[in-house]
Amino acid sequence: MRITRAVVRPPADTFAAGITSSRLGPPNLATALAQHDAYCRALERLGLSLLRLPPDPDFPDSTFVEDAAVVTAGGAILARPGAASRAGEVAALREVLREWFPEPAEIAAPGTLDGGDVCEAGRHFFLGISDRTNPEGAAQLAEWLARHRFGSSVIDIRTMPGLLHLKTGLSWLGDRRLLAAGELAEHDALRGWEVVRVPEGEGYAANCVRVNDTLLVARDFPATSALLGELGYDLVPLDVSEYRKMDGGLSCLSVRW
Ligand code: CIR
């Protein structure tokens, strides 16, 4: 499926009040906005039409739109974020997606699910169980995916240090190829897939975004960029330093379809 659209939302002036476990210091809002703008321009250069939500100061983490909704070739599913402070983010995604997906599926209580735990790999989806996505939420999505003839497998990341979401450490590169960091690269669920390992010390670079024939990658991870370049990918490096300070990465900043 060629990607033609994406939802994005710039951070609000409350951005620094969002949830973070990183010890990188508070984000600089002006820099974050400039980085967001560069991210949006990169998507537009790749031919995507952007649906831009306005910043929402009531939800400091709402720039990470990916966590509030999952869009697949079979339709949209509204997520049910595992962090209480993020629950209200779903309403805006419901509204902006309505034109394309008037009757989205929804994760229901007691299930919780963050879109960051959903790694699409063509007709297969890897679903993370994390501090945000519980087994019930993942099971609801797996059932929906099966009804739409997608496969899925579950990966429990709760004991894997440094991973907020599954996609913090895993990305789909296209075909049967994945990019994975640390112990995720060894996980049984990835058997039968070609796994490109993120070089030591560059774990953050495991979160990249495939947009049709191009990969958006985090800037300043030279060993990973060199490896992906050797594999023949066209790379668009982007600086997301201010989002990293809030535990976010490239994929979190858009919902794409
Ligand atoms: C949070 O903790 O929810 C945000 N500060 C970061 C969310 C990042 N989202 C993602 O990786 N999909």
Side-chain angles (χ1 to χ4, degrees):
M1 171 176 98
R2 273 196 89 73
I3 297 174
T4 56
R5 291 180 205 284
V7 177
V8 291
R9 171 172 242 175
D13 54 11
T14 53
F15 185 41
I19 311 166
T20 186
S21 64
S22 94
R23 300 211 185 100
L24 299 170
N28 176 293
L29 183 62
T31 309
L33 289 169
Q35 291 176 349
H36 197 271
D37 193 48
Y39 180 89
C40 292
R41 279 186 280 116
L43 292 179
E44 286 179 327
R45 270 199 306 275
L46 295 173
L48 274 59
S49 303
L50 299 187
L51 300 152
R52 297 168 187 269
L53 287 167
D56 187 343
D58 289 342
F59 296 102
D61 283 310
S62 58
T63 188
F64 300 115
V65 283
E66 168 180 81
D67 292 321
V70 177
V71 176
T72 75
I77 305 101
L78 297 174
R80 192 162 178 275
S85 64
R86 303 198 59 189
E89 294 176 25
V90 176
L93 270 294
R94 182 197 299 278
E95 199 47 45
V96 72
L97 293 175
R98 190 186 297 277
E99 187 177 339
W100 291 272
F101 307 99
E103 289 178 11
E106 294 184 45
I107 301 298
T112 60
L113 181 125
D114 276 18
D117 281 314
V118 181
C119 181
E120 185 222 323
R123 298 297 303 178
H124 191 83
F125 284 73
F126 296 97
L127 309 179
I129 305 286
S130 67
D131 290 342
R132 303 292 178 84
T133 297
N134 64 17
E136 172 65 24
Q140 289 179 27
L141 182 55
E143 194 189 306
W144 185 93
L145 289 168
R147 266 192 276 123
H148 291 78
R149 298 206 208 102
F150 294 102
S152 67
S153 42
V154 164
I155 301 180
D156 191 337
I157 62 162
R158 285 174 294 185
T159 58
M160 299 185 193
L163 296 185
L164 171 63
H165 290 119
L166 178 63
K167 274 191 290 189
T168 311
L170 182 72
S171 300
W172 182 45
L173 297 177
D175 302 319
R176 295 284 300 174
R177 194 181 267 167
L178 302 163
L179 179 67
E183 64 183 287
L184 254 182
E186 310 293 337
H187 199 280
D188 275 355
L190 308 193
R191 283 226 184 108
W193 291 76
E194 183 190 345
V195 179
V196 178
R197 289 172 154 281
V198 173
E200 198 62 35
E202 295 201 357
Y204 183 75
N207 180 267
C208 67
V209 179
R210 181 176 187 263
V211 179
N212 302 326
D213 302 321
T214 302
L215 287 181
L216 306 186
V217 295
R219 210 190 68 181
D220 299 330
F221 294 90
T224 308
S225 289
L227 187 57
L228 294 171
E230 279 160 26
L231 289 167
Y233 293 102
D234 280 334
L235 305 182
V236 175
L238 290 168
D239 189 359
V240 281
S241 63
E242 304 315 290
Y243 299 91
R244 187 181 186 190
K245 291 174 181 172
M246 300 308 293
D247 287 347
L250 285 164
S251 72
C252 335
L253 293 177
S254 57
V255 177
R256 306 158 295 277
W257 72 94

